[in-house]
Amino acid sequence: MIALGEIPSFPNQSQIKRLGFVIAVVFSYKYFRFAELQAGERTDKPKMDLIRPRFVLFGDSITEQSFRPGGWGAALADTYARKADIIVRGYGGYNTRWALFLLHRIFPLNCTGAPAVTTVFFGANDAVILGRTSEKQHVPIEEYKQNLRKIVHHLKDCSSTMLIILITPPPVDENGRDEYARFLYGDKARVLPERTNEMTGVYANNCIELAQELNLPCVDLWSLMQKTVGWQKKFLRDGLHLTPEGNEVVHKEVVRVLLDAGLRPQDLPYDFPHHSDIDGKEPHKAFQLRN
C-alpha cells in the first residue's frame, strides 16, 4: 500500500535484469516440463535432460576434478539437488585456445534447451611461462582475453538469457609446485617454475577486466584466496589444484553469484512432486500435468 503523496519506488535496472532472468529460467522449465510429459504419454523413453535447467561447468582440470570428494561441482549439485542439473565439462591441461575447438560440440547453436548457467574457468594453463616445462599450454595474454571474449559471445549466441560466470585462475603456490615436482621426478625435477603467481595474476586481472567490459559476474579467486593467511597450503594441494577448503571457496562464490541473479534453490521448482505432495492412496494425482 502506497501512502498518499508518497512517490512509488520502481525497480532499478539490476533488479529488472534479475527478475527477467528468473522468469526466463522458470518459463524454460515449464516449457520443457510440458514437452517431457507430453512425450512421456507417447514413448517409454523419458527425456530427463528436458526437465531441469542445466548449469554447465566449463573449464580445465580444476573444473574436471570438481566432482571429486569435496569438490565444488559436487557441492553445487547438492545445493541445487532436484532443482538443476550440474553438468561438468572440464578438460585437464586445456587452455582457452584449445577450448575454442570444443564450443560448437558442447554448446551447439541450433540446440534447444541451452544451459541456464555456464561457468567459464580457464587461465591456469594459459599462464604457463614460455621456455619452461609445459610451454605448449602457454597462450599470450592478449589472445587469452580475446579467447574468453569469443567463448562469451558464442554462449550468448546460444542463449541471450544465459547467465555466464567468469572465474579467474586461482593463485599459484610456487614452493608447493616445486615440492610437487620433486615428489614426482626427484632429481629430474625442473629447475625453473612453469608458473608464477605474479604472471597468473596478470591473467586473472584480464579476466576481471573482460567481465567488467561485458557486464558479467566474475569470481576473483586469485585475489580472494590470498586474503587468507596460509592460503598456499589451505587452499592448494599441489601449488595449483584445490584442496577441499579451496573447493569450498569456489562453491561459496559461485552460489553467491547465483543468488544475486535470483536463482535461489528454494525458489526453483522440483523436477517431480515432492514426496510430501504425493497421496498414498491416489499417487497419480500428484503427477498430473498442471497448468
Side-chain angles (χ1 to χ4, degrees):
M1 182 72 70
I2 300 175
L4 289 176
E6 180 180 349
I7 299 175
S9 62
F10 295 95
N12 58 38
Q13 185 176 5
S14 176
Q15 290 172 324
I16 294 174
K17 183 177 180 181
R18 238 184 349 253
L19 178 61
F21 175 70
V22 174
I23 291 174
V25 171
V26 173
F27 177 80
S28 174
Y29 169 87
K30 293 288 186 181
Y31 173 80
F32 287 122
R33 175 78 171 115
F34 176 82
E36 190 274 336
L37 286 174
Q38 290 294 92
E41 295 174 358
R42 298 189 302 269
T43 176
D44 294 331
K45 183 178 180 181
K47 298 184 178 181
M48 296 299 293
D49 60 319
L50 299 183
I51 295 179
R52 307 173 185 169
R54 295 184 298 153
F55 297 177
V56 176
L57 315 182
F58 185 41
D60 53 34
S61 58
I62 302 176
T63 295
E64 181 179 353
Q65 298 172 11
S66 67
F67 260 70
R68 290 183 178 182
W72 65 276
L76 197 62
D78 181 63
T79 300
Y80 285 86
R82 290 190 58 189
K83 301 300 185 73
D85 283 331
I86 312 302
I87 301 173
V88 177
R89 292 296 180 265
Y91 301 87
Y94 272 55
N95 53 32
T96 55
R97 181 184 295 165
W98 302 343
L100 293 178
F101 292 101
L102 308 180
L103 284 179
H104 286 275
R105 295 174 179 269
I106 300 175
F107 307 98
L109 293 178
N110 297 325
C111 179
T112 58
V117 178
T118 299
T119 60
V120 181
F121 193 175
F122 289 97
N125 298 314
D126 298 69
V128 165
I129 300 174
L130 277 177
R132 310 283 177 85
T133 305
S134 302
E135 68 172 353
K136 73 175 184 177
Q137 295 170 304
H138 171 79
V139 172
I141 187 64
E142 297 83 3
E143 182 188 343
Y144 165 73
K145 190 173 184 180
Q146 185 61 22
N147 289 343
L148 281 182
R149 189 191 312 276
K150 291 177 181 178
I151 291 172
V152 170
H153 286 168
H154 179 87
L155 294 176
K156 283 298 184 182
D157 287 341
C158 288
S159 170
S160 60
T161 61
M162 186 190 305
L163 175 63
I164 302 169
I165 306 172
L166 298 185
I167 306 177
T168 75
V172 174
D173 172 20
E174 295 170 33
N175 290 333
R177 292 301 290 167
D178 287 340
E179 293 171 3
Y180 182 68
R182 287 195 296 271
F183 171 77
L184 289 180
Y185 307 112
D187 294 338
K188 296 181 180 180
R190 54 178 171 66
V191 177
L192 296 174
E194 90 282 22
R195 294 171 174 84
T196 66
N197 193 41
E198 180 181 7
M199 181 56 66
T200 300
V202 174
Y203 283 74
N205 286 333
N206 274 263
C207 179
I208 296 168
E209 290 175 2
L210 182 68
Q212 293 172 343
E213 176 188 333
L214 301 179
N215 194 28
L216 298 175
C218 182
V219 176
D220 180 10
L221 286 185
W222 189 84
S223 299
L224 182 62
M225 286 185 168
Q226 292 184 82
K227 293 179 180 178
T228 298
V229 176
W231 60 268
Q232 294 89 339
K233 302 303 180 192
K234 183 177 180 64
F235 297 141
L236 305 173
R237 59 179 172 80
D238 58 2
L240 177 65
H241 297 95
L242 305 178
T243 62
E245 291 81 5
N247 275 281
E248 179 54 32
V249 172
V250 182
H251 170 248
K252 179 180 178 181
E253 291 303 306
V254 170
V255 169
R256 177 185 59 78
V257 173
L258 293 172
L259 297 182
D260 287 345
L263 279 176
R264 300 194 310 163
Q266 58 267 40
D267 292 339
L268 295 178
Y270 281 109
D271 53 353
F272 289 110
H274 190 271
H275 67 84
S276 61
D277 295 325
I278 301 176
D279 188 317
K281 295 181 179 179
E282 298 180 297
H284 66 279
K285 289 185 176 181
F287 295 91
Q288 291 176 346
L289 183 64
R290 301 171 183 174
N291 295 326

